[in-house]
Amino acid sequence: MRGRRAEFPTIAEAARLIAAKQLSPVEFTRALLQRIAALDPQINSFLTVTEKHALAAARTAERAVIAGRKGPLLGIPVGYKDIFETAGVPTTAHSRLLADNVPAEDAEPVRRLTAAGAVMLGKLATHEFAVGGPALDLPWPPARNPWDPRRFTGGSSSGSGAAVAAGLVLGALGSDTGGSIRLPAAYCGIAGLKPTPGLVSRRGVIPLAPSLDTVGPMAWTAEDCALLLDAMAGHDPADPASVPGPGGSYAAALAQGVKGLRVGVLRRFYERDVPAEPEVLGAMAGAERVFRDLGCTVGEATLPPVQDYNAVGRVIICAEAYALHEARLHARLADYSRAFRVRVLGGALIRAADYIAAQRRRSALIAETAALFGKFDVLISAPTAGAAPMMSEQRPDDGFARPMLTTVANVAAVPSLVVCGGFTKTGLPVGLEIIGPAWGDATVLRAGYHFEREAGLRDTRPTF
Amino acid sequence: MPWTTLVPSQHKLPGPPLTPAEMELLVARAGLALNAGQMADLVLAWRQLSGLIAAIPRSATMADDQAYVFRLPPPAPSAGRAGKRTGTAAAKAKPRAKAAAKAKAAAGKTKPPVRTRTAPRAASTGKKPARRR
C-alpha cells in the first residue's frame, strides 16, 4: 500500500488537526489500533499493545481538548521501546529473563510524555536488553523492516523504527548506546535523535552501558523529534548524569534558517574507513548540494578514524554490559539469546586496565571531536554503508566485526540526528547523519528540518 | 623521567593470545559454566574483541587521569565555608559557638576546645621534628 499523506499525519500535522477539533484523539487512536492489528503481524514491531490503556488516555486527551487545553503532544499516539519502564504494563527488554516484569512506575521520559498528553499504544520490540541483535531464540520474534519485511530494521530500537515508518505510531522513544536510535532511523527511513548525554533523563530505562547510554525521540520528521524532545528534556536529579540543558524550545528554534551554517563533511568516514555503497555515496553528494542550496558553507572535515571510536565504544559497552548482567548470566545463562551471549560474554575477559584505557582514549576523542566544532557548526556523514541488509545476513558477532559509523557520536558525547537522506533504486531508504557539538541539539534538529523540507523526501511511505 | 612523559605504546595486547585452556580457566574464574557451543561463541567473539582492545592506544599522559573525576552537584549554600562570613550572620555565629563550648566545658562533660596543630607531633614517630631553616 503506497501511503497517502492524509493517512499518515506527522505529529505536527496531527497536533494542528486535534487543536482545531478536526481530529478526535479517540477516533485516531482507534484507527491506529486497527492498523496495528492488521499490519503489525507482518513486521512484529509491537511486543505489547495496550489497547485499554490507550483508549482511556485518548478519552482523557479528548476531554482536555474540549476543555480548551492545547499542546503539541495532546492526543498523539506513541510507543516505547520495551526497555522503558511503564507502570502496570510489562517491560521485558525483549528478554525471557524479564518476561514477568511489571514495573510500578513510569520511566521519567515516559512520565513526561504522558504529562504532555501523549497516548501510549504499546511497547515496542528491541534487541534483547538493547544489544543482542535480531534473534530467533527469544519468546518474541524480531521486528522486520516495513519497506521490505525480509530486511533488517537496524537496532536495537528495532520496533520503534519499524512502527514509526509503518505509520502505526506517530512517535516513539528509543535508546542509543552505539547507534541504536540512528541505525533503525536510517534503515527504516525516519528521523531519530541521539541527544547530548544528560539532556534527557534515563531514570527507569533499563541500562546497557551507563557511560554511553542515551535516550531520545524517533519520528517521521526532525520537526516531530523536536516536539518530542521539548517534552522530554530537562534536569532530573534522580539520574546522576542528568544536567540542566540549555533550555528553550527545540521546536521553536526550527524556524531560524540555516543560511551561513558551516557544514563539515566527514567524507573519509564513508569513503575509506567504512566504504559505502554507490547509492549511499550518491545520497551524500545530494545532501551536500541541498545544504549548499540552503545557503550553508560546505567543507571537508576530518576526525580520527571510525575504527578508533568503534574500538573504544565496543570495549566499554562489552565491559559495562557484562558487569550489569553478570549475576543473571551466572544464574540463567541459557535464558539469554545466543546473539546476546556472543556480544556480551567477552566482557568477562576484559581486564580493568583495558577498560580504563578505553575510557582514557575516549577522553582524548571527545576533545578532538569538540575541537572540530571551532571550524564547523555541524558535521554530516552516512550513518550506514548501505541500505537495510537482509535479515538472513545478520550474524551474532556483527557488532564486533563491522565498525559502526554511528558509534562516533556516542563516544564523542555529542548529539546526532539521522534523517532520511534518499532512496535506492529499489526503493529502500538510506540515512543522513547530522552531528553537532555538545548541547548543539537545537542546531542538528534545525539542520535536519531544513534538509528534509528542501530535499522533499517525506512524502513516500513504505508499501507493504 | 618526569611523570607526565608519554609512555610509548606498541598497540598490542600484553602477552600472547589466550590458549583454549587459558580461556577455559578465565571463564571458570568468572563464574561461568559454558557448554561447548557457548564456548565456541565466546572464542568467536573474543577473537574480534581482543583485536579492538589491541587497537586502543595506551599513550596518554598520566596527567590525563585528572579527567576521571566524579561530577558532584554544587554544594548547598550552608555546606562548608566557601568564603568569609560577613555581616550579622558572622557576628551572631561566633559568640554562639563560643558560648556552647564554654557551657559544655562547665558541665564537665568535655574538655574545652584545644587548638589543633597543623602537623602531627614528631614524637609519635619517636623522632624530633626537623628544624626549619
Side-chain angles (χ1 to χ4, degrees):
Chain A
M1 167 174 64
R2 177 67 65 178
R4 296 192 301 274
R5 294 294 293 161
E7 209 174 357
F8 299 103
T10 64
I11 291 175
E13 289 164 352
R16 282 192 286 273
L17 292 171
I18 289 170
K21 299 188 175 67
Q22 292 170 0
L23 180 64
S24 150
V26 174
E27 292 310 311
F28 192 32
T29 297
R30 279 213 182 96
L32 288 184
L33 288 169
Q34 284 170 8
R35 187 170 167 78
I36 291 165
L39 298 180
D40 197 55
Q42 293 178 58
I43 57 169
N44 310 320
S45 65
F46 277 80
L47 298 187
T48 307
V49 179
T50 51
E51 185 170 348
K52 267 185 166 179
H53 183 288
L55 287 169
R59 282 188 205 102
T60 304
E62 191 148 305
R63 281 195 295 273
V65 171
I66 291 166
R69 185 181 156 194
K70 287 189 176 10
L73 299 184
L74 193 54
I76 299 297
V78 298
Y80 301 119
K81 182 178 185 176
D82 206 21
I83 61 167
F84 286 75
E85 294 198 330
T86 39
V89 176
T91 300
T92 67
H94 210 129
S95 176
R96 193 174 281 110
L97 283 97
L98 296 185
D100 302 320
N101 177 44
V102 181
E105 290 183 8
D106 284 337
E108 181 62 11
V110 172
R111 191 192 68 73
R112 292 186 187 215
L113 291 197
T114 304
V119 173
M120 175 176 73
L121 298 194
K123 304 299 291 292
L124 302 168
T126 167
H127 295 169
E128 187 176 26
F129 286 109
V131 70
L136 299 173
D137 52 352
L138 289 172
W140 305 271
R144 291 178 173 274
N145 196 315
W147 295 90
D148 178 352
R150 294 171 305 162
R151 292 183 183 270
F152 185 35
T153 54
S156 63
S157 307
S158 50
S160 302
V164 169
L168 305 184
V169 292
L170 299 197
L173 296 191
S175 65
D176 195 316
T177 307
S180 289
I181 284 175
R182 292 161 293 147
L183 292 170
Y187 286 158
C188 295
I190 65 168
L193 174 74
K194 183 208 90 67
T196 302
L199 184 63
V200 178
S201 171
R202 304 169 303 175
R203 175 157 56 105
V205 183
I206 295 169
L208 168 59
S211 69
L212 290 167
D213 287 343
T214 50
V215 302
M218 301 169 76
W220 188 244
T221 63
E223 181 183 23
D224 287 357
C225 285
L227 291 168
L228 290 164
L229 188 63
D230 274 344
M232 295 160 69
H235 183 230
D236 174 14
D239 176 353
S242 174
V243 290
S249 165
Y250 296 92
L254 299 176
Q256 299 168 31
V258 288
K259 194 173 179 183
L261 201 73
R262 299 168 302 167
V263 177
V265 184
L266 294 164
R267 203 184 313 281
R268 201 205 61 234
F269 273 14
Y270 53 87
E271 285 188 352
R272 285 188 11 221
D273 294 355
V274 185
E277 292 169 6
E279 287 179 304
V280 171
L281 298 177
M284 288 307 299
E288 284 186 46
R289 279 195 299 275
V290 168
F291 280 114
R292 281 201 184 92
D293 291 347
L294 286 165
C296 303
T297 58
V298 179
E300 188 149 348
T302 309
L303 283 172
V306 171
Q307 282 77 1
D308 284 18
Y309 294 87
N310 204 65
V312 165
R314 296 316 304 182
V315 171
I316 292 173
I317 289 171
C318 201
E320 293 187 9
Y322 178 80
L324 283 170
H325 285 271
E326 185 176 48
R328 285 193 173 94
L329 285 166
H330 286 171
R332 298 180 62 182
L333 181 67
D335 285 339
Y336 285 94
S337 65
R338 179 179 175 228
F340 181 95
R341 290 195 302 262
V342 168
R343 293 186 188 199
V344 172
L345 271 184
L349 307 180
I350 295 175
R351 301 175 318 134
D354 298 328
Y355 174 76
I356 294 296
Q359 290 287 12
R360 294 179 81 184
R361 179 65 181 141
R362 186 187 181 198
S363 292
L365 289 171
I366 288 172
E368 287 177 59
T369 310
L372 192 57
F373 288 107
K375 286 186 188 169
F376 299 102
D377 299 305
V378 294
L379 306 170
I380 61 170
S381 177
T384 62
M390 300 297 275
M391 286 286 267
S392 54
E393 293 169 4
Q394 295 306 298
R395 290 171 30 179
D397 63 331
D398 276 348
F400 298 126
R402 298 180 192 170
M404 294 199 298
L405 288 149
T406 48
T407 301
V408 170
N410 300 86
V411 170
V414 291
S416 167
L417 173 75
V418 162
V419 294
C420 182
F423 291 91
T424 64
K425 283 176 193 156
T426 55
L428 294 171
V430 293
L432 165 71
E433 184 174 14
I434 304 168
I435 302 169
W439 309 114
D441 304 72
T443 308
V444 297
L445 285 165
R446 184 158 51 96
Y449 170 75
H450 288 281
F451 171 83
E452 283 175 342
R453 286 166 64 97
E454 184 73 14
L457 298 166
R458 294 293 69 199
D459 286 337
T460 307
R461 285 272 191 172
T463 57
F464 76 107
Chain B
M1 185 170 73
W3 68 282
T4 51
T5 300
L6 284 172
V7 178
S9 166
Q10 298 302 310
H11 291 213
K12 62 183 180 187
L13 282 174
L18 293 174
T19 65
E22 288 167 339
M23 185 169 274
E24 278 179 19
L25 181 68
L26 288 171
V27 166
R29 282 199 66 187
L32 294 165
L34 305 185
N35 62 32
Q38 291 161 349
M39 188 56 121
D41 282 346
L42 178 59
V43 169
L44 173 75
W46 181 249
R47 204 171 289 151
Q48 311 272 7
L49 189 54
S50 58
L52 295 176
I53 291 169
I56 296 171
R58 315 287 166 124
S59 55
T61 65
M62 294 286 273
D64 285 348
D65 285 337
Q66 304 300 332
Y68 297 108
V69 294
F70 293 101
R71 278 184 297 183
L72 299 173
S78 59
R81 289 178 64 182
K84 269 188 170 180
R85 285 185 292 186
T86 54
T88 28
K92 281 179 185 172
K94 275 186 179 175
R96 213 178 272 173
K98 276 186 179 176
K102 274 185 184 174
K104 276 189 177 178
K109 288 177 184 170
T110 57
K111 288 182 180 176
V114 177
R115 192 180 269 182
T116 53
R117 290 172 183 273
T118 49
R121 287 176 70 91
S124 64
T125 60
K127 287 181 183 174
K128 282 188 176 180
R131 287 183 74 175
R132 273 194 188 167
R133 294 186 179 181

